[in-house]
Amino acid sequence: MRVFDVGFTMNAKRGLDDDNVESPLRICNMEHREQKAKICFNFRSNLFVLVVFAVGLACGILIGIYAYHGSKNMNSYQGQSYQGTKLDDKIPATSPKINIEQCPNKNPNNYAPYESSLFAPLTTKEMKEVSEILWQRRYITTIGQTPSSLKESFIVFMYLYPPRKEDAIKYLYHNGMKPSRYAKVHIQRGAIPVPDVMEYKVGPLGSLPEATIIPLTSPGEIHFNSRIYGMVEENALNYILNREMKVLETLMRESFDGATFPDDLYINYQNGPPGMTAAERETRFIIGFRAVEDGDVLNFLPLSGTVHNPGTNVSEWYSHSYYYLNQGPYSTASDLVAAYNNNMIRKVRLPQEYRSKLRKNAFPQRDHSLPLREHADQPGARSYMPKGPRFSINGTKIKWMGWSFHISGGQLRGPALFDIRFKGNQIAYELALNDISLVYAMDSSGHNNIIYMDASYGIMGGYTPTTIFRDVDCPSYAAVLNTSYWSSLYQKAIDMKSICVFEADGHEALWRHFSGNFSGGMRNRYLVVRVPVVVGNYDYIFEFQFYLDGRLYTKGKATGYILTSFWDEHNPNVGGEKARDAFGYRVSQYQTGPIHDHTFGFKVDMDVIDSNNSFETIHWKAGNVYDALRTLSNITQVPPYFIYNETRYLKFETMQKEAGCRLDYNNQKLFVLVNENKRNRWGVKRGYRIVPLTTGAQSISEEHPAMKALSFTKYHMTVTKRKEEEMYLSSIYDINRMDSPKGHLDLMLDNESIVNEDIVNWITFGVLHVPTSEDFPMTPSMESGFLLKPFNFFDTTPTFDMPQYLEEHGTSNVEHEPAFDTCVEPNTEY
Ligand SMILES: *[C@@H]1O[C@H](CO)[C@@H](O)[C@H](O)[C@H]1NC(C)=O
Ligand SMILES: *[C@@H]1O[C@H](CO)[C@@H](O)[C@H](O)[C@H]1NC(C)=O
Ligand SMILES: *[C@@H]1O[C@H](CO)[C@@H](O)[C@H](O)[C@H]1NC(C)=O
Ligand SMILES: *[C@@H]1O[C@H](CO)[C@@H](O)[C@H](O)[C@H]1NC(C)=O
Ligand SMILES: *[C@@H]1O[C@H](CO)[C@@H](O)[C@H](O)[C@H]1NC(C)=O
Ligand SMILES: *[C@@H]1O[C@H](CO)[C@@H](O)[C@H](O)[C@H]1NC(C)=O
Ligand SMILES: *[C@@H]1O[C@H](CO)[C@@H](O)[C@H](O)[C@H]1NC(C)=O
Ligand SMILES: *[C@@H]1O[C@H](CO)[C@@H](O)[C@H](O)[C@H]1NC(C)=O
Ligand SMILES: [Cu+2]
C-alpha cells in the first residue's frame, strides 16, 4: 500500500517560437489531431524527434496553445480575430513562449512508508502481520485460504483502529510519544460450539511477538445470525437452492425466453434485512438474468423465495415462501410448480429473442448507430501543471497551499481525513465517511422493503474492489494512492488504486471586482482528494475539496446501475396509465426504477483552533423591529429611522445539550462551531460554519422497524460530546439485529453538555432517487454534500497571501499570477 507516482519522464527539449501560431494550429485542428498528439506525447528520443519533427512542430504548438489558459490564443483557436484586453496586455510580463517541452513532472510523493503515518489505512504488510498473529495463536481455523464452510472461523474484515485522540494530539502538537498502530479485526467464529462474531483490537503493529489481541466484544454479544453476508454463505445458499432450481427448470424456461439456470440465470441474495431479530436468518432471494455481469441488477425476474438459514448447519436450512409474478407464497418450489402447471396462477411469457437483446440494452457502450455530435471526434478541453505539482505527499500526509491533512480510512467505512489544518490552525481532527443507507420501496415479492447499510458490505473494497480510471475519475496528472482491504474470500490483503489527489483549476474567479478604479480577481484553484468506490451496482464518488480561502467541501456522488424491479403491466396494483406504479416509473421494457434514497453519514470532529468548542445555531429571523432589537438590548421604543416595522435579524443561540437537528426551510438556521475562548481582531468568537448542501430528508417514521439502526438518517446534523468509544454513527450489525441495535447514533444522545467541549457533528446528507428512463441503464452521477466555511475565523479575507490579478486603473500598480512557459501535458501512466 503505497502511493503511486505521477509519472517521471524527462523528455527532449524543443524550444519553439510562437511566430506561426495560426497556420500550424489549423493543421492540428483536424480529425487526425488525436493521432498526432499521441506521437507528440510519446517523444522519447532526439532521433524520433527529428523523424517526426514536422508533425511534432505543428502538434506541439497546437497543444501548447490549446492548453495555454490566457485568452489570446484561445481566441485565435476559435478562428476569431484577437481583440486585446488590458488583462492580456499586463500578464504575463513576457508574451507566452510556445514550445513542445513536456511539463516538469516533479513527483509530489516522497514514498515514506504508510506505516510511518499515524492515521494511514492499514497496509498489506500490516494485514499480513495481523493475520499471522491470529493464525499463530489459533484464533481462527482458516489459514491463508478460502474458507470452505460457515463451520470455519475466519477473518472477515480488517482495518485501522485509529489512535486515541488524546494521544494523537499530544504527539502532533505537544511533543508527545508517537502512538502505535493497531488493527481492528472482525472474526466470524463458526468453529466454536456456540458460533458468534467477535471484534478484536490487535497490536501494536510492527512488534510481532509482543502484539496483543484485545477483545472488543464479549462472546455471543454479536449473534452469529447477525453476521455480514459473504461468499461462503452465498455458496452454501446456492448449494441449497441448486436442487430447487432443477424443480423450477421448466417454469423458468417457459417464462423467461428459454433461460436456464445457472447458464443464463443467477440467484441474488442482497435483499436485506435478514429477518426482524438478531437470532433470525431469513435470506430472501430473487432470480435475475446474467446479462451484463454476474451480479446483474438490471434484469430481475418475477421469481423469488426465502431461505431459512440460521447457524452453520446447512443440512438444517430450507427454502420457503416462493412467489411467481407476486403470486404466493408457496411453501416449496414444487408447490409453485404444481400451481403453475394447473394454470392456477397468472403467467408471464417474455417474448422470444428477448434474451438476445438484454446485453445491448444494458451494456454501457457507445451506440454506433447514432451519429456523433458535432465536433465530438475532437478531444475535449484539458488542464495541466506548468511547473509540476504544488502539493506534496509524505506517507499519507498531504500539503497544499497552507492546507495539511492525513488521508485515512478502511474497508468498511470508506475514506477519512485526520488532523486537518489551514495556515497552521487546527480546523478538524477527523472528517470521515461512516455509512451510506438506502431504503427501497417497490412492488415485488423478492425485493420489497429492501434496506442497505453499505458499511455492512464494505464501502472501500470489502464488497467490491475498485480502481481509479485514469483521465475519467481524475486528470492524468493526478497522484494516485493505493489502499488495501482484507479479502475474506481469499484470506489475504488486496491492494488497489483507490484515491487520487490533484490540484484542480476551477476555471472561474474565486473572487472578483471591477470598479472605475481597479480590476481585481483571483482564479479559483483547489485541491481535490477523490475516492471512487463501488458497492455492488452503485458506484460512489467521495470528494474533499480544499479552497484557498479556507473552505472545505465534502461531497458524495452516486452513479452506476440502478437496482430495478420487474415491470408487469398486468399487475393489479398498476394504474390505468400502465407506465408507473406507486413506487416509481417504468424505465425499460420489463423494468421499473424503484424509489430509494442514498443517505451519507459523516463524522465531523471539528477542532476550531483547539478542541474546546461550542455549537451555535443562528436563527435567520424576520419580525418586527422591536422584537429584533430586544433580542440583545432593553429598548422600550423603536428608533424612528426604521422605515418599515418588519426586518430581518439574527437570533443567537448556543446549543446546551447533545441533540439532533433537522433543516427546515421555514425556520432557517446557520450552524456554527465556535471557540468561545478565541476571538478575532474584532472581538468576535472565531468559528467555522457547517453548511449542509443536502436535498434529502428522512420521511419514514420512528416506528419503522429499521429506524433505530438508521437513526443517523433522522437528522441532518447531530451534535454530541466526543467520546473515544462513540467511534461511528452506526453499527454494521444493527440492520441484521433491528430488535436490539447496539451501535446507532440515538444511543449517543444522552443529554450531555456540549458547551466548551470537544464536539462531534454527525452530518447526514443525501439524495432522494426517483429513477427515470435516463437512469437506465446508467445513472449519471447525482451529488450532495456539505461545506465547512471560515466564519469570523480570520480577521480579513484570507487570500491576500496568494498571487492574484490586480490592475489599479491609471497607475502602474499591477499584480499577476506567476509567469509560465506553455508545455505539453505529461503522459502519466497510473
Ligand atoms: C446438522 O443437522 C442435521 C439435521 O438436523 C443433523 O442430523 C446433524 O446432526 C446436524 N449436524 C451437527 C454437526 O449438528
Ligand atoms: C515525512 O514524514 C515523516 C514523519 O512521518 C518525517 O519524519 C519526514 O521528515 C517527512 N518528510 C518530508 C520530506 O517532509
Ligand atoms: C497499486 O495497486 C495496483 C493494483 O493492485 C498495483 O498494480 C500497483 O502496483 C500498486 N502500486 C503501488 C505503488 O503499490
Ligand atoms: C479613482 O480613480 C479616479 C480617476 O482615475 C481618481 O480621480 C480617484 O482619485 C480614484 N479614487 C481613489 C479612491 O483612488
Ligand atoms: C479546555 O477547557 C478546559 C476547561 O474549561 C481546560 O482545562 C483546557 O485546558 C482547555 N483546553 C484547551 C485546548 O484550551
Ligand atoms: C436589561 O434590564 C435589566 C433590568 O433592568 C438589566 O438587569 C439588564 O442588565 C439589562 N440588559 C441590557 C442588555 O441592558
Ligand atoms: C411594530 O409591530 C409591533 C408588533 O406588532 C407593535 O407592537 C409595534 O407597535 C409596531 N410598531 C410600529 C412603529 O408600528
Ligand atoms: C436533560 O437535562 C435537563 C436538565 O439539565 C432535563 O430538564 C431534561 O429532562 C433532560 N432530558 C433528558 C432527555 O434526559
Ligand atoms: Cu439511486
Side-chain angles (χ1 to χ4, degrees):
M1 180 150 74
R2 280 149 309 278
V3 181
F4 199 78
D5 70 308
V6 292
F8 246 110
T9 28
M10 287 316 294
N11 285 359
K13 224 174 165 166
R14 305 294 311 174
L16 276 178
D17 296 321
D18 60 349
D19 297 344
N20 296 322
V21 161
E22 296 234 356
S23 60
L25 180 65
R26 295 215 177 93
I27 295 170
C28 275
N29 189 15
M30 297 191 317
E31 302 79 68
H32 305 300
R33 193 190 139 194
E34 191 177 330
Q35 191 190 340
K36 286 177 189 166
K38 269 190 199 137
I39 296 169
C40 300
F41 277 96
N42 289 332
F43 276 170
R44 284 294 186 276
S45 71
N46 286 317
L47 181 66
F48 189 55
V49 168
L50 286 176
V51 172
V52 294
F53 182 71
V55 175
L57 178 73
C59 197
I61 289 170
L62 164 80
I63 291 163
I65 290 162
Y66 189 74
Y68 173 54
H69 297 277
S71 63
K72 185 172 188 171
N73 296 311
M74 293 298 275
N75 283 349
S76 26
Y77 174 74
Q78 300 292 343
Q80 297 152 1
S81 66
Y82 165 61
Q83 302 294 319
T85 66
K86 281 183 178 168
L87 179 105
D88 261 272
D89 291 341
K90 299 296 181 195
I91 57 161
T94 53
S95 59
K97 206 167 121 201
I98 308 297
N99 62 33
I100 55 170
E101 195 180 331
Q102 203 174 62
C103 300
N105 202 0
K106 285 180 272 178
N107 189 357
N109 187 7
N110 79 351
Y111 293 106
Y114 275 17
E115 292 85 356
S116 66
S117 259
L118 200 54
F119 303 108
L122 227 55
T123 64
T124 301
K125 190 175 146 210
E126 288 172 322
M127 291 190 188
K128 192 160 182 282
E129 180 190 338
V130 171
S131 61
E132 274 159 12
I133 294 167
L134 292 162
W135 289 336
Q136 275 166 20
R137 307 203 191 160
R138 302 198 175 282
Y139 270 73
I140 35 197
T141 53
T142 299
I143 297 183
Q145 63 193 20
T146 299
S148 60
S149 114
L150 287 173
K151 288 185 174 150
E152 292 183 47
S153 295
F154 55 91
I155 304 168
V156 189
F157 303 118
M158 200 191 288
Y159 47 93
L160 180 75
Y161 190 102
R164 281 163 45 84
K165 179 172 178 180
E166 199 188 327
D167 301 342
I169 293 284
K170 271 193 196 135
Y171 167 68
L172 292 166
Y173 293 91
H174 309 291
N175 294 318
M177 268 188 29
K178 186 172 183 177
S180 306
R181 284 169 63 77
Y182 286 84
K184 184 163 172 184
V185 184
H186 299 233
I187 297 179
Q188 191 167 307
R189 300 198 300 174
I192 61 170
V194 182
D196 65 4
V197 180
M198 283 288 287
E199 294 179 359
Y200 298 95
K201 181 177 173 182
V202 181
L205 302 180
S207 66
L208 233 175
E210 286 83 43
T212 54
I213 303 170
I214 306 152
L216 299 170
T217 53
S218 50
E221 183 183 332
I222 304 171
H223 198 292
F224 189 68
N225 292 341
S226 307
R227 65 189 177 266
I228 303 302
Y229 281 95
M231 280 310 293
V232 183
E233 181 161 14
E234 249 180 54
N235 289 339
L237 289 163
N238 279 332
Y239 171 79
I240 292 291
L241 289 178
N242 270 336
R243 56 176 183 257
E244 311 300 334
M245 293 300 122
K246 296 250 170 359
V247 175
L248 295 164
E249 199 175 329
T250 307
L251 174 150
M252 294 195 295
R253 210 174 33 234
E254 288 177 3
S255 304
F256 308 142
D257 184 26
T260 57
F261 178 88
D263 291 346
D264 316 310
L265 302 172
Y266 84 107
I267 311 171
N268 179 292
Y269 300 104
Q270 273 77 48
N271 308 301
M276 304 297 282
T277 72
E280 262 177 1
R281 192 75 171 180
E282 296 289 329
T283 303
R284 291 191 297 175
F285 66 87
I286 185 159
I287 306 301
F289 277 127
R290 238 181 246 287
V292 280
E293 56 185 1
D294 282 345
D296 195 326
V297 299
L298 286 176
N299 295 290
F300 284 123
L301 293 163
L303 177 60
S304 67
T306 303
V307 181
H308 174 73
N309 67 317
T312 60
N313 189 347
V314 175
S315 320
E316 290 182 340
W317 295 5
Y318 59 88
S319 61
H320 62 94
S321 301
Y322 281 83
Y323 282 88
Y324 173 89
L325 215 55
N326 280 359
Q327 301 161 105
Y330 292 95
S331 351
T332 64
S334 313
D335 290 354
L336 167 59
V337 167
Y340 176 89
N341 288 341
N342 296 332
N343 295 319
M344 288 163 62
I345 55 176
R346 203 159 57 79
K347 296 185 182 177
V348 60
R349 292 268 178 279
L350 296 186
Q352 262 186 16
E353 306 286 292
Y354 177 70
R355 279 198 294 128
S356 63
K357 290 179 228 135
L358 287 176
R359 186 180 153 88
K360 184 178 180 302
N361 291 343
F363 193 67
Q365 192 163 18
R366 182 175 143 204
D367 186 343
H368 288 272
S369 70
L370 301 175
L372 266 190
R373 297 184 202 181
E374 193 180 3
H375 301 314
D377 56 341
Q378 291 172 211
R382 305 187 66 85
S383 318
Y384 65 97
M385 301 182 289
K387 294 210 165 164
R390 301 199 293 180
F391 61 96
S392 67
I393 304 178
N394 179 7
T396 56
K397 181 170 181 181
I398 314 286
K399 276 186 171 174
W400 176 80
M401 295 291 128
W403 285 99
S404 73
F405 56 90
H406 294 257
I407 293 181
S408 184
Q411 67 178 128
L412 293 184
R413 307 285 179 172
L417 305 179
F418 278 91
D419 191 25
I420 302 170
R421 307 184 204 187
F422 182 54
K423 294 192 179 195
N425 297 292
Q426 273 178 268
I427 305 294
Y429 177 71
E430 182 180 1
L431 170 50
L433 176 63
N434 270 202
D435 214 334
I436 312 168
S437 77
L438 297 89
V439 177
Y440 278 88
M442 65 187 102
D443 190 3
S444 158
S445 56
H447 256 155
N448 52 3
N449 307 116
I450 288 182
I451 296 166
Y452 297 129
M453 293 182 73
D454 282 342
S456 311
Y457 289 87
I459 291 171
M460 201 159 70
Y463 184 59
T464 320
T466 186
T467 190
I468 304 273
F469 306 149
R470 178 182 184 269
D471 245 359
V472 175
D473 284 316
C474 321
S476 55
Y477 62 79
V480 170
L481 280 77
N482 277 20
T483 62
S484 303
Y485 69 96
W486 178 260
S487 163
S488 82
L489 183 62
Y490 300 112
Q491 292 295 295
K492 64 170 193 182
I494 293 178
D495 202 8
M496 57 188 187
K497 303 180 205 172
S498 47
I499 299 169
C500 69
V501 181
F502 62 96
E503 178 180 312
D505 182 350
H507 295 290
E508 60 178 351
L510 176 66
W511 59 263
R512 80 187 298 282
H513 186 63
F514 172 80
S515 79
N517 286 57
F518 71 90
S519 312
M522 180 178 284
R523 188 147 157 165
N524 188 19
R525 293 194 175 80
Y526 47 90
L527 188 79
V528 180
V529 173
R530 188 171 290 153
V531 191
V533 303
V534 189
V535 188
N537 54 311
Y538 270 113
D539 297 49
Y540 293 104
I541 301 160
F542 295 100
E543 180 153 336
F544 306 95
Q545 298 180 348
F546 298 84
Y547 277 57
L548 292 169
D549 61 357
R551 273 181 292 164
L552 200 174
Y553 275 95
T554 301
K555 295 182 177 179
K557 309 180 191 186
T559 172
Y561 279 134
I562 56 168
L563 184 150
T564 64
S565 176
F566 187 77
W567 168 251
D568 167 19
E569 66 173 337
H570 304 296
N571 178 341
N573 305 335
V574 167
E577 207 173 294
K578 305 259 181 227
R580 58 192 181 190
D581 66 14
F583 312 103
Y585 294 98
R586 179 181 180 191
V587 295
S588 179
Q589 193 176 358
Y590 284 103
Q591 282 85 15
T592 70
I595 53 167
H596 57 279
D597 62 309
H598 299 263
T599 299
F600 305 101
F602 273 79
K603 177 180 187 181
V604 185
D605 175 0
M606 295 200 74
D607 284 351
V608 178
I609 305 162
D610 57 42
S611 55
N612 282 350
N613 294 165
S614 299
F615 188 76
E616 283 193 349
T617 44
I618 302 171
H619 300 260
W620 176 266
K621 306 273 288 183
N624 66 66
V625 173
Y626 180 80
D627 289 349
L629 295 175
R630 288 280 297 188
T631 58
L632 293 176
S633 75
N634 274 347
I635 56 135
T636 50
Q637 283 275 301
V638 172
Y641 46 77
F642 284 90
I643 60 169
Y644 304 113
N645 195 18
E646 183 164 335
T647 182
R648 282 175 162 168
Y649 63 99
L650 299 177
K651 197 165 166 227
F652 306 94
E653 182 190 347
T654 299
M655 206 195 262
Q656 302 293 315
K657 303 273 172 156
E658 296 182 323
C661 315
R662 275 175 76 104
L663 299 178
D664 171 3
Y665 283 106
N666 297 320
N667 293 295
Q668 299 188 74
K669 296 182 205 83
L670 280 67
F671 301 118
V672 183
L673 250 283
V674 296
N675 191 316
E676 310 240 358
N677 317 310
K678 306 282 166 171
R679 307 230 166 202
N680 70 11
R681 200 166 146 199
W682 320 114
V684 184
K685 283 180 246 173
R686 296 175 68 184
Y688 248 77
R689 181 178 163 201
I690 302 173
V691 189
L693 307 170
T694 190
T695 56
Q698 184 56 277
S699 52
I700 57 178
S701 77
E702 300 235 4
E703 282 65 51
H704 189 285
M707 262 326 272
K708 284 206 191 88
L710 289 171
S711 60
F712 80 90
T713 68
K714 290 200 300 200
Y715 317 105
H716 290 110
M717 169 130 38
T718 308
V719 196
T720 66
K721 182 174 163 174
R722 187 186 191 280
K723 294 215 183 113
E724 207 60 56
E725 61 277 16
E726 292 176 351
M727 216 177 270
Y728 305 111
L729 53 60
S730 63
S731 153
I732 63 162
Y733 299 104
D734 279 358
I735 196 65
N736 296 354
R737 54 178 185 203
M738 294 191 294
D739 61 326
S740 52
K742 294 185 168 78
H744 60 96
L745 184 56
D746 265 353
L747 294 174
M748 298 182 200
L749 294 177
D750 47 7
N751 217 10
E752 282 173 283
S753 167
I754 50 166
V755 178
N756 214 11
E757 291 285 356
D758 193 0
I759 293 176
V760 175
N761 287 279
W762 308 90
I763 298 180
T764 301
F765 62 89
V767 291
L768 303 182
H769 192 183
V770 182
T772 59
S773 44
E774 291 80 9
D775 295 340
F776 189 96
M778 201 41 82
T779 309
S781 91
M782 308 166 282
E783 79 172 52
S784 185
F786 63 93
L787 168 64
L788 305 177
K789 181 186 196 316
F791 199 77
N792 301 308
F793 190 87
F794 298 106
D795 297 336
T796 179
T797 309
T799 62
F800 294 116
D801 54 355
M802 284 292 297
Q804 58 178 40
Y805 160 65
L806 177 80
E807 186 197 334
E808 190 174 358
H809 302 156
T811 74
S812 58
N813 185 15
V814 170
E815 294 172 11
H816 53 77
E817 290 199 346
F820 63 95
D821 293 344
T822 325
C823 56
V824 174
E825 189 183 0
N827 188 16
T828 312
E829 285 163 22
Y830 59 72

